[in-house]
Amino acid sequence: MMRKSRRTPRRPAAALAASLAALALAATACGGSGGDAGGDGGPVTLTYWSWLKGQKEAVELFNRTHKDVQVRFEEIPAGANGGYDKISNAVKAGNAPDVATVEYAMLPAFVTQGVLKDLPSAGASTVKGRYPASVGELVTFGGRTWAMPRDIGTMVYFYRRDLFDKHGLAVPRTWDDYKAAAEKVKKADSKARLGSFLTDDPVLLAGLSWQAGARWFGTQGDSWKVAIDSPESRKVADYWQGLVDKDLVKAQSATDPLTQSMQKDEVLSVISGAWNAGVLKTLVPGQSGKWAVAPLPSWDGKPASAGYGGAGAALTKGTAKADKATAFITWLNNSADGIRAQLSSGTSSALPASPDLVPVAAKTFDTAFYGGQDIYKVAGDALGTMPTGWAWGPAMAATNTELKTGINAFTSGSAKLADALAAAQGKTVAELKGRGLSVTS
């Protein structure tokens, strides 16, 4: 975290420029971790840290098929569970890996803190040419590209086909349809509900706001623009406020309570990212063949999705092997062999952020749980309907903490859900100003 400045608030471009200057200085002053080509002409050695499934298998394949570069892989805790602290501390200590996994929502913070190094031109060109604009925008800011996208959690609608048939429900195409179906389910079964509002996951609220056209962060002139408490976000909040107030959905945690409700046939559908297809197989294995996937309901019935999770591979500050590291992450996240190796277990439903690789991923996933449905077709189509213009902010930890507090107040009945947006807006603006950044809202 940047220290609070008593000087004139810095502009977003100036803040990024300062980070870039520091990164450039570090790159020329010191080498990255791992050995470069030795005096004996041996291969360049890169180090790679990640917590994602399939990375060890992918690295092993890369090492077998590449002789000039070898990669040492280390599994670390998930980012929010200590992984990000480990990466940040390693950069400060001068012993960081060359490459690390970073989720899209964390990238702006890591860039402004000077943790990462921007990709060379070859990597930037790959991102521009191989990914949809809605994905490229998540890793490109300040005029630089900061990661090679791996997957994107396009939001889709998971539902129990058998229970929909039982209650005579059609898959909702609009949010009005969703509300009508929720009323029908409650009337037919007092214990069951169509879905849930997750009380411990503010990223879901962000994704639904994104789908509705909100743009929580951006720049305006010389300032960061923060628009969490926007009309689009309030529209989403008021909608879910109404569903919860009328007891049409369950307000519950995304962990055990939701799983137990699904196991008891008391939750008929789930709004989530494409990655959840593999998770459901683990949580409710006895319901194999009963689930299906559909596009996310939208406000006007036209296809519209959004991002709910996803990560890329980034270069850390100080690596002296940016070109080799970029070649590795391009192979890792932008080749059929790399994606196939990462998903070789057959249990992950991660959706490649590059549309060209979606068919490759589809062949690795056993669709029996979904009655043979091509779930990657649904998720892949959703990728093309994600609105452009979304950006994460440089203080998402503070933003999400405030949103969680507000959501808890909402579910306890002491506040409105829209109040959480207003509180998060205020907290985020104060946090950015405290870091010496100019902010408008």
Side-chain angles (χ1 to χ4, degrees), residues 342-362:
Q342 292 183 62
L343 304 180
S344 58
S345 68
T347 60
S348 173
S349 58
L351 179 75
S354 173
D356 292 345
L357 295 172
V358 171
V360 175

Side-chain angles (χ1 to χ4, degrees), residues 170-184 194 235 239-240 243 248 297-301:
V171 177
R173 294 181 62 252
T174 67
W175 289 116
D176 284 342
D177 293 342
Y178 185 94
K179 180 181 178 182
E183 292 171 339
K184 190 172 184 179
L194 180 66
K235 177 181 180 180
Y239 174 82
W240 287 95
L243 294 184
L248 296 178
S298 68
W299 291 100
D300 59 6

Side-chain angles (χ1 to χ4, degrees), residues 311-439:
L315 310 188
T316 63
K317 174 184 176 181
T319 178
K321 295 163 277 189
D323 289 338
K324 295 293 187 183
T326 299
F328 164 62
I329 63 176
T330 300
W331 176 91
L332 182 70
N333 292 343
N334 244 296
S335 74
D337 286 342
I339 291 297
R340 191 180 297 112
Q342 292 183 62
L343 304 180
S344 58
S345 68
T347 60
S348 173
S349 58
L351 179 75
S354 173
D356 292 345
L357 295 172
V358 171
V360 175
K363 293 178 180 178
T364 70
F365 189 78
D366 182 356
T367 60
F369 187 85
Y370 296 92
Q373 181 187 10
D374 185 356
I375 63 167
Y376 272 93
K377 178 66 166 59
V378 179
D381 287 348
L383 178 57
T385 69
M386 287 172 47
T388 58
W390 180 268
W392 297 105
M396 288 310 302
T399 301
N400 286 338
T401 296
E402 194 64 30
L403 283 172
K404 285 182 180 179
T405 299
I407 291 172
N408 286 335
F410 155 61
T411 54
S412 69
S414 61
K416 299 293 186 180
L417 182 55
D419 295 338
L421 297 170
Q425 173 90 15
K427 176 68 175 181
T428 301
V429 169
E431 180 73 17
L432 297 187
K433 288 182 176 179
R435 297 184 185 191
L437 298 172
S438 176
V439 182

